[in-house]
Amino acid sequence: MVYHERAAWSGLIGTVIALGVYIVLLTNASTNASDGDIARVDWLPPMLWSIGTGIVVSILISILWGIAAGMRDRESATASDIRDRDISRMGGRVEQAFLVIAGLGVIALCAFEADLFWIANTMFAGFAISSFVGGIARVIAYRRGLI
């Protein structure tokens, strides 16, 4: 497995963990709220912690996996070619499409004067979904090739 594929897998794992942490924290906060209204919970600290957790987990996995790969074959652990660049570009285009959709959703929520909770969580979900779908697209391209 080449460096860029390992990075795609690390990003996928980090995204899933970050989203899971956020959902658990938000669910616990809404359960503990007096009225049970999820839009009234303090969503910013859990969101920031889950974003930070996802970044740190992705970096740690990438470093540890890179060390393990480098121990086996130092040269191929960081090798890159034109295929890696093409796959990265394709994954970026997929991610960008989902970010645009999330941005349009945020604009619509702003137009309807929705609560900040829903606006922020729509954008957060857009980031998470775009990262996940882009990672999946990259992994599939590494496994099956670009069409």
Side-chain angles (χ1 to χ4, degrees):
M1 185 180 304
V2 296
Y3 168 76
H4 294 285
E5 185 179 1
R6 286 193 313 269
W9 277 107
S10 299
L12 278 171
I13 294 167
T15 298
V16 169
I17 289 172
L19 194 56
V21 165
Y22 183 66
I23 290 170
V24 167
L25 290 174
L26 206 60
T27 304
N28 286 339
S30 72
T31 303
N32 295 336
S34 59
D35 60 357
D37 185 14
I38 195 164
R40 295 188 189 272
V41 300
D42 189 16
W43 52 268
L44 185 58
M47 184 181 287
L48 294 176
W49 276 104
S50 64
I51 291 169
T53 300
I55 292 169
V56 169
V57 166
S58 295
I59 290 170
L60 287 176
I61 290 172
S62 184
I63 289 171
L64 294 174
W65 206 345
I67 290 170
M71 291 176 153
R72 281 181 286 157
D73 186 8
R74 183 163 287 203
E75 268 188 45
S76 68
T78 58
S80 181
D81 61 11
I82 195 164
R83 178 176 169 246
D84 296 317
R85 187 189 70 201
D86 291 343
I87 289 173
S88 179
R89 284 182 182 169
M90 181 272 307
R93 286 191 302 266
V94 170
E95 288 173 347
Q96 189 175 26
F98 281 89
L99 281 178
V100 168
I101 293 168
L104 291 173
V106 166
I107 290 171
L109 287 171
C110 289
F112 290 111
E113 297 179 359
D115 188 50
L116 280 178
F117 172 86
W118 297 111
I119 294 169
N121 280 285
T122 299
M123 199 68 240
F124 178 76
F127 283 133
I129 291 168
S130 73
S131 175
F132 184 76
V133 173
I136 293 291
R138 285 181 179 95
V139 168
I140 289 172
Y142 274 110
R143 296 296 167 175
R144 295 188 182 167
L146 290 170
I147 299 173

